[in-house]
Amino acid sequence: MLYNYRTVYEYGCQEIEIKRSRFIGHAKPVMSEEEAIDFIKSIKEKHKDATHNVYAYILGDRDEIQRYSDDGEPSGTAGVPVLNVIKSEGLKNTAVVVTRYFGGILLGASGLIRAYVKGAKLGIEAAKIVEKILFKSIYITIDYTILGMVQNDLLKNNFIIKNIDYTDKVTLNVYVPFQDKEDFEKYIVNLTNSRSVVKEGKDIYLYKKDDKYVE
């Protein structure tokens, strides 16, 4: 798994008119090829009266899956330019569809390339680029007597306390940058003088919003 990568946050859509043709850029984060195909199908269904629904998507830690379609536009003038926009932005797990409603004026090969690049960029801009960072969810079980000390130290060191479960003991669920998990576990053992049980949970990607990491 990647420790961090750039992608889009949510579905985004933005439109531009170029020489009477409407170009509508759509972008969405996708985690599988099936999800990408479903997204493309949904846009094609929504805009089934459009002249073209050009698409491209990239998937995988090493961009193993790269697909595109000109959807009837001259070869090389649509799908590849859209794919290149995704790549130039350094995005992963991202699908983009650019819908075109022909306005009656031919744009020529270079004009088409510029138009589809612009449409793709607008869709990505609307979907908001974020950097996702891999965290490890860690559970720390302790006695109530040291809860205040442990909680204060975690907050002082800017660790993310996701949840606190109160039973006969206290379990804190903390999100820790994946690369720091081993050092964090040692830190907890030292902080509590070995009076804690530390268990690893799931891996989770977070992104930064307003100086805070959120899911």
Side-chain angles (χ1 to χ4, degrees):
M1 296 180 74
L2 295 172
Y3 292 135
N4 61 285
Y5 69 94
R6 282 162 58 89
T7 187
V8 292
Y9 169 60
E10 60 187 355
Y11 168 70
C13 174
Q14 199 168 170
E15 180 176 334
I16 189 172
E17 183 175 313
I18 300 174
K19 293 186 178 180
R20 298 184 185 173
S21 281
R22 292 170 57 206
F23 290 87
I24 309 169
H26 315 262
K28 184 183 178 184
V30 289
M31 296 306 296
S32 68
E33 190 155 22
E34 181 180 13
E35 193 176 344
I37 291 169
D38 286 345
F39 169 60
I40 293 162
K41 284 181 179 178
S42 71
I43 299 299
K44 286 185 172 183
E45 178 61 27
K46 182 178 179 180
H47 295 282
K48 55 188 175 185
D49 57 337
T51 316
H52 306 280
N53 283 291
V54 168
Y55 69 80
Y57 58 88
I58 289 179
L59 286 161
D61 290 353
R62 296 180 178 82
D63 303 335
E64 296 92 337
I65 299 174
Q66 299 185 24
R67 306 277 189 263
Y68 65 88
S69 169
D70 293 312
D71 194 35
E73 291 283 31
S75 179
T77 64
V80 169
V82 172
L83 181 67
N84 286 339
V85 170
I86 301 173
K87 293 166 76 172
S88 68
E89 292 288 355
L91 303 180
K92 297 182 182 294
N93 299 337
T94 300
V96 175
V97 181
V98 181
T99 299
R100 182 190 185 189
Y101 287 88
F102 182 56
I105 298 176
L106 296 175
L107 301 182
S110 60
L112 280 174
I113 291 170
R114 287 194 296 271
Y116 278 105
V117 165
K118 184 64 176 177
K121 286 183 175 180
L122 287 174
I124 289 170
E125 180 183 285
K128 303 181 190 71
I129 294 176
V130 293
E131 181 181 17
K132 293 205 169 184
I133 299 172
L134 184 62
F135 282 74
K136 171 64 76 173
S137 178
I138 294 180
Y139 296 90
I140 307 161
T141 301
I142 55 175
D143 291 328
Y144 280 85
T145 54
I146 60 172
L147 172 60
M149 179 269 292
V150 171
Q151 189 173 359
N152 288 338
D153 213 85
L154 289 171
L155 293 173
K156 183 179 71 176
N157 286 286
N158 298 316
F159 288 111
I160 303 166
I161 302 175
K162 174 63 177 176
N163 185 56
I164 302 177
D165 187 25
Y166 301 94
T167 56
D168 58 320
K169 290 183 178 290
V170 186
T171 300
L172 298 94
N173 181 203
V174 182
Y175 287 168
V176 179
F178 191 89
Q179 292 170 292
D180 299 334
K181 64 176 184 173
E182 292 180 4
D183 288 340
F184 177 79
E185 291 171 11
K186 292 175 184 176
Y187 151 74
I188 291 298
V189 170
N190 291 332
L191 178 64
T192 62
N193 291 319
S194 300
R195 291 181 294 160
S196 59
V197 175
V198 179
K199 291 184 178 179
E200 294 185 0
K202 64 181 180 179
D203 299 338
I204 185 168
Y205 281 103
L206 305 179
Y207 73 96
K208 206 166 190 178
K209 181 180 181 182
D210 299 328
D211 292 325
K212 291 183 179 180
Y213 284 103
V214 296
E215 296 182 34

